[in-house]
Amino acid sequence: MRTDFDVHWDELAEEVLSGMKEWRLQHPKATLRELEGALDERLGKMRARMLQDAALASAAADIKAAQETERPICQACGSRLVERTVAARELVTQHNQVLKPERSYGVCPTCGTGLFPPG
Ligand SMILES: [Zn+2]
């Protein structure tokens, strides 16, 4: 499993904190609802990015980390699968944040059958 997926999390959090303070200073008469909206917007972006980063850690681990002999075997012809990476479909999470995760999957070098890990 990758462990470096959180390299940008400090600056991500800092952006939320300083951005929210700046927004507050620029909106001295903001209502509670407006404050909540501004905060949710920033947390939503951070949430989406953290979710994507955290998901990538396991996606990258799926096949790449597996030893040759641990890789799944093609159901159709029995060959060892090799790794391919593709852009997965976009996911829209809370606050309309769009994720564009990459997925790693196994494909048979002999007959082309693909095996996607669950999840
Ligand atoms: Zn095959």
Side-chain angles (χ1 to χ4, degrees):
M1 177 149 189
R2 272 175 54 184
T3 56
D4 63 346
F5 56 88
D6 65 337
V7 286
H8 297 297
W9 286 9
D10 283 346
E11 53 191 276
L12 211 55
E14 182 52 39
E15 241 171 70
V16 173
L17 303 180
S18 60
M20 189 59 201
K21 178 169 183 184
E22 195 177 312
W23 187 93
R24 181 59 175 129
L25 292 173
Q26 286 168 359
H27 299 81
K29 294 178 181 172
T31 64
L32 187 59
R33 186 172 292 273
E34 287 167 341
L35 280 165
E36 197 176 20
L39 186 57
D40 279 351
E41 184 190 325
R42 283 162 181 77
L43 288 176
K45 280 181 189 159
M46 181 163 126
R47 184 183 181 283
R49 180 62 194 274
M50 287 180 75
L51 189 57
Q52 180 171 329
D53 288 350
L56 279 175
S58 60
D62 284 337
I63 302 255
K64 199 178 291 184
Q67 295 300 311
E68 168 83 28
T69 53
E70 295 168 349
R71 285 182 188 167
I73 287 174
C74 175
Q75 299 290 320
C77 74
S79 300
R80 291 276 173 205
L81 302 184
V82 295
E83 186 203 14
R84 291 280 185 280
T85 305
V86 287
R89 70 194 157 86
E90 289 187 352
L91 300 172
V92 179
T93 180
Q94 282 183 17
H95 307 293
N96 295 315
Q97 299 300 312
V98 177
L99 303 184
K100 295 179 184 175
E102 279 193 340
R103 291 205 66 181
S104 145
Y105 69 102
V107 66
C108 177
T110 308
C111 71
T113 298
L115 175 75
F116 284 80

